[in-house]
Every structure is written in C-alpha cells, then in structure tokens.
Amino acid sequence: MSSLEGENFHYSFADSAPGGLVPSINQPTLSNNFGDISSLDKVRDILFGGQMRELEKKFTRLEERLLKECNSLRDETKKRLDYLENYIKNEIEAVNDQVKSEQSKREEAINTLSEEQKNINNSLERKISQFDEQTATKTRELREQILNQSQSLQDDIRQKYEEILALLQRESQEIRAEKTDRSTLAAMFTELAIRLNSRQ
C-alpha cells in the first residue's frame, strides 16, 4: 500500500482520537506523524502482509493464466484463420480450375460444332454443285432427246409427205390415163356414130 494510503489511514486514525482534532501540517509534530505512518505500515504488514502476498500471488497466477489463455486463444484463432484462409484459397483455386475446365470444354465444343458446321456447309455446297451439274446434264440430255425426237418427227413427216406426194402423183397419172382411155372411147363412139349415119 502506498504512503498516501498510509497517510489517509493516519488521518482517519487521528480523527478517531479523543478530541477529534486533526493535527496541522505546520505543527512541529510532522516528523512524529511520518514515524507513526512507518509503524502503521509495519503493523499493517504484520496483520495483512500474508493475505496481501497471497492475493498478489493469486493475481500473478491469474494474470499468467489470462496471458496463457490469451496466447492460446490467439494461437487458436491464428490457426483457425490460417485454416480458413487455406480453405478459401483451395476453394477459389478449385472453382478457378473448374471454371477453366468448363471454359476449355466449351471452347472444344464450340470448335467441334464450328468444324461440324463447316463440314456440313462444304457437304451442302458439294451436293448443290453436284445437283447443279446433274440438272445441267439432264437438261442437256433432255434437249438432245427433244431435238432428236423433233428431227425424227420431221423425218417421219417428210417421209409421209413424200409417200403421200408419190401416191398422189400415181393417182393423178392413173386418173390421166383413165381420161385418155375415155377420150379414145369417145372418139371411137363418135367414129362409130358417123359410120352408122353414113350407112343409113
């Protein structure tokens, strides 16, 4: 306990003395008061020294225990924070790896689809080109067939025309021949009539 507390204790003790008078600081008994304070400290140490030392030991042990608990709590908190930080880092890395993997898969799928689309376009272009060629060939063949049939039809028509013309010429000649015979017959009939008339 400090000297100020001892001094206060002395003043309280002085107040409880007979007469209730507090000695003045200016009085010549100031040195006696310091002696009384020293003796009171000794008395107090005798009366309460063991308890005070025990309390100091308890406070010291409590302080050490608190420091130990604080250090343990700080270490545990640090361990937990380090574990949490590592866990978060691992999770972030796992998420990043997953995102990269999914992005790579998407890029591969897009490249595959693009390649398939390109192949489909090329195949369609080839088929369209083949179809155009086939259509042109079929059209050319059809035109040739139509031309051939037209030529054949014209030949048939010319042949039929020539046949009909020849037939008409033969018929005409026959008709002319028949007309000639009729003229001859008419002349004969005329001559015969003349002769008959002359005989009469």
Side-chain angles (χ1 to χ4, degrees):
M1 190 175 290
S2 65
S3 60
L4 182 60
E5 290 176 353
E7 188 177 353
N8 290 334
F9 180 78
H10 173 74
Y11 287 153
S12 299
F13 182 78
D15 289 338
S16 62
L21 297 176
V22 177
S24 175
I25 297 175
N26 295 325
Q27 292 178 355
T29 61
L30 185 60
S31 61
N32 291 332
N33 288 334
F34 284 117
D36 292 338
I37 290 171
S38 178
S39 63
L40 286 174
D41 287 337
K42 291 179 181 179
V43 171
R44 188 182 300 115
D45 184 59
I46 292 171
L47 292 176
F48 302 106
Q51 293 179 356
M52 293 297 292
R53 284 189 292 274
E54 187 66 27
L55 285 174
E56 287 179 358
K57 288 180 181 179
K58 288 183 178 180
F59 281 132
T60 302
R61 287 196 297 270
L62 182 60
E63 185 178 3
E64 291 176 353
R65 183 178 176 185
L66 286 174
L67 288 174
K68 186 177 180 181
E69 290 292 332
C70 287
N71 291 330
S72 177
L73 182 62
R74 183 179 61 200
D75 293 337
E76 184 68 22
T77 304
K78 185 178 179 182
K79 288 180 182 178
R80 289 177 181 268
L81 288 175
D82 291 338
Y83 174 77
L84 182 61
E85 184 179 0
N86 291 328
Y87 176 77
I88 292 173
K89 286 181 179 178
N90 292 330
E91 288 295 321
I92 291 173
E93 289 179 357
V95 170
N96 288 332
D97 292 338
Q98 186 176 1
V99 169
K100 289 180 180 178
S101 177
E102 291 179 356
Q103 186 176 2
S104 177
K105 289 180 181 178
R106 286 194 189 96
E107 289 178 355
E108 290 178 359
I110 290 171
N111 292 331
T112 302
L113 290 175
S114 178
E115 190 68 25
E116 290 179 356
Q117 184 68 29
K118 189 184 294 182
N119 293 332
I120 291 171
N121 290 333
N122 292 332
S123 177
L124 285 174
E125 288 178 358
R126 286 195 301 271
K127 288 183 178 179
I128 290 171
S129 179
Q130 291 175 359
F131 180 74
D132 290 339
E133 291 177 358
Q134 291 176 358
T135 303
T137 302
K138 294 293 183 183
T139 304
R140 186 170 54 254
E141 291 176 355
L142 184 60
R143 286 178 181 174
E144 290 177 356
Q145 288 179 1
I146 292 172
L147 183 61
N148 292 330
Q149 289 180 359
S150 177
Q151 189 70 32
S152 177
L153 184 61
Q154 287 179 0
D155 293 339
D156 291 341
I157 291 172
R158 187 179 298 110
Q159 184 179 0
K160 294 294 183 185
Y161 175 76
E162 291 175 353
E163 290 177 357
I164 291 171
L165 185 60
L167 180 62
L168 286 174
Q169 287 178 354
R170 283 197 305 272
E171 291 291 333
S172 177
Q173 289 176 359
E174 289 178 359
I175 290 172
R176 284 195 190 114
E178 288 180 357
K179 283 184 178 180
T180 303
D181 292 338
R182 287 179 183 176
S183 302
T184 304
L185 184 61
M188 289 174 59
F189 282 146
T190 303
E191 185 180 355
L192 181 61
I194 291 170
R195 286 180 182 177
L196 288 174
N197 287 328
S198 64
R199 287 180 181 176
Q200 292 178 352

